[in-house]
């Protein structure tokens, strides 16, 4: 009878440990997530609006910190580095003067927000004494993976590396997950360890397939 009870008891004791390993939420270790991108094109410039959740202070040290929501707007095109302003109009309006970034060759504006936009946003751009109104549309489609799902694909693809960085105290690192737009949508996933080393993955934004992989030391 004692032997039978012991056989039943062992699986019951192991169950919490197995469940804990299988249900670890690696999204808790994301320190930057670019969740959406909106684009618009005018006659002589292009506008990109990005929705980003980012830790503060923003340091690539493998230690995630609380996230803040930020909207970033970039304006590129045939424009001289003079005064330029941008405004999101309508609900949850934001905006102001843009800064010219010499290293990037664009005008840039960022502002903290409570909520992100969805679908499309209305913009008003003031530059060179002219005012332009346009609508920026999200690059996401119904088939675009969420940040959470993209991270899940990356964790699955790098299971061995993730396991090496995971212990009883949790995950010894942080993740960057960024939606990217070129001709198509992609996800960049960065896996950063406590020494600043980074494993970079480029994923297909619809299938989660790893298209490229690169590892660099801190």
């Amino acid at each position: 009878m004692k032997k039978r009870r012991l056989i039943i008891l062992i699986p019951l004791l192991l169950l919490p440990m197995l469940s804990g390993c299988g249900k670890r939420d690696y999204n808790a270790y994301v320190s930057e997530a670019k969740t959406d991108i909106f684009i618009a094109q005018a006659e002589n410039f292009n506008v990109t609006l990005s929705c980003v959740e980012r830790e503060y202070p923003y340091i690539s040290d493998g230690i995630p910190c609380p996230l803040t929501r930020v909207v970033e707007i970039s304006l590129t095109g045939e424009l001289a580095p003079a005064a330029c302003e941008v405004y999101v109009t309508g609900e949850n309006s934001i905006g102001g003067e843009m800064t010219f970034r010499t290293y990037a060759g664009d005008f840039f504006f960022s502002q903290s927000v409570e909520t992100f936009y969805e679908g499309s946003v209305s913009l008003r751009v003031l530059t060179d004494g002219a005012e332009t109104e346009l609508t920026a549309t999200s690059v996401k489609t119904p088939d675009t993976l969420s940040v959470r799902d993209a991270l899940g694909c990356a964790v699955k693809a790098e299971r061995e590396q993730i396991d090496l960085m995971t212990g009883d105290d949790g995950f010894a690192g942080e993740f960057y997950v960024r939606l990217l737009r070129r001709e198509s949508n992609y996800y960049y996933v960065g896996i950063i360890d406590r020494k600043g080393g980074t494993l970079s993955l480029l994923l297909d934004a619809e299938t989660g397939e790893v298209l490229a992989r690169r590892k660099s030391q801190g």
Side-chain angles (χ1 to χ4, degrees):
M1 181 64 69
K2 291 183 178 180
K3 184 176 181 180
R4 184 179 177 183
R5 289 178 180 175
L6 183 61
I7 293 173
I8 295 173
L9 183 60
I10 290 175
L12 292 176
L13 290 173
L14 288 175
L15 183 59
M17 291 186 287
L18 294 174
S19 299
C21 293
K23 294 183 178 180
R24 185 176 297 280
D25 184 10
Y26 286 100
N27 287 276
Y29 301 93
V30 173
S31 57
E32 182 183 44
K34 182 179 289 187
T35 60
D36 207 345
I37 300 172
F38 300 77
I39 57 176
Q41 185 172 1
E43 183 177 351
N44 63 330
F45 61 84
N46 299 318
V47 180
T48 301
L49 183 151
S50 301
C51 297
V52 184
E53 292 183 281
R54 182 179 292 128
E55 69 174 358
Y56 184 82
Y58 184 55
I59 305 173
S60 182
D61 58 2
I63 304 175
C65 294
L67 305 178
T68 58
R69 291 189 178 96
V70 179
V71 167
E72 299 179 339
I73 304 175
S74 172
L75 191 154
T76 59
E78 300 176 1
L79 296 168
C84 183
E85 300 173 46
V86 65
Y87 298 92
V88 176
T89 58
E91 189 175 356
N92 299 324
S93 60
I94 61 171
E97 186 173 350
M98 306 185 79
T99 301
F100 184 75
R101 301 189 298 183
T102 304
Y103 71 90
D106 68 344
F107 287 91
F108 182 78
F109 173 85
S110 66
Q111 184 170 328
S112 298
V113 295
E114 293 294 328
T115 59
F116 285 141
Y117 306 105
E118 296 182 6
S120 63
V121 293
S122 297
L123 299 171
R124 182 163 57 94
V125 178
L126 306 176
T127 182
D128 295 334
E131 179 176 319
T132 304
E133 293 186 357
L134 61 167
T135 300
T137 305
S138 171
V139 302
K140 294 170 69 174
T141 72
D143 296 324
T144 303
L145 296 174
S146 66
V147 164
R148 175 178 288 271
D149 289 338
L151 178 58
C153 292
V155 169
K156 182 178 179 180
E158 295 295 333
R159 185 76 264 176
E160 183 177 350
Q161 178 64 32
I162 297 298
D163 286 345
L164 289 174
M165 298 172 66
T166 304
D168 295 337
D169 296 331
F171 180 68
E174 61 184 339
F175 298 99
Y176 295 164
V177 188
R178 304 168 185 154
L179 179 64
L180 305 177
R181 177 66 183 181
R182 299 296 181 263
E183 294 80 10
S184 301
N185 291 340
Y186 302 92
Y187 270 106
Y188 165 82
V189 178
I191 306 171
I192 299 93
D193 62 32
R194 295 284 171 84
K195 296 180 180 180
T198 302
L199 174 59
S200 299
L201 305 176
L202 182 67
L203 275 60
D204 184 295
E206 294 186 0
T207 67
E209 178 187 359
V210 177
L211 304 175
R213 183 182 189 273
R214 184 181 65 182
K215 194 168 186 177
S216 59
Q217 301 298 320

